[in-house]
Amino acid sequence: MAPIAVGDVIPDGTLAFLDNDNKPQSVSIHSLAKGKKVIIFGVPGAFTPTCSLKHVPGFIERAEELKGKGVDEIICISVNDPFVMKSWANTFP
C-alpha cells in the first residue's frame, strides 16, 4: 500500500457519530472534508491506555498550532460505536 501524501484523495467511507441530541447519524468522509483541510487519525480503540494517554492528547495539545497552519478540523476515528466514542471524548478537557 502506498503512503498517503498531502493532497491525495482518500477513498470515501461512512462514519457514524452522535448529534447534539445523542441521536446516531452518519456522514461520508468526502462530504465531511469537502472544501476543508482535515487531519484524520485512527486509534485502535477508545479507553485504551496508550490511545487515551499518548495518541489523542497530542492532537488536543497541538490543535491550535495545527489550525494556525490551515487545518480546519481534526477527526479521530476508531472501531468503537459512536456511543463509546462520545463517552470517551467527554473524558478529555
Side-chain angles (χ1 to χ4, degrees), residues 16-88:
F17 68 98
L18 296 181
D19 64 18
N20 292 334
D21 297 322
N22 288 322
K23 304 273 188 222
Q25 303 292 329
S26 62
V27 64
S28 78
I29 294 171
H30 284 182
S31 67
L32 184 64
K34 186 176 182 174
K36 298 179 198 172
K37 188 178 204 179
V38 299
I39 294 173
I40 301 172
F41 71 100
V43 296
F47 294 105
T48 58
T50 301
C51 296
S52 294
L53 299 173
K54 301 275 185 195
H55 298 146
V56 174
F59 283 97
I60 292 170
E61 290 166 10
R62 300 190 73 186
E64 291 306 313
E65 176 186 343
L66 294 167
K67 288 180 181 182
K69 293 181 178 187
V71 172
D72 297 304
E73 198 162 353
I74 302 167
I75 301 166
C76 176
I77 61 174
S78 183
V79 298
N80 300 100
D81 66 58
F83 297 96
V84 170
M85 291 299 284
K86 188 162 188 177
S87 292
W88 188 43

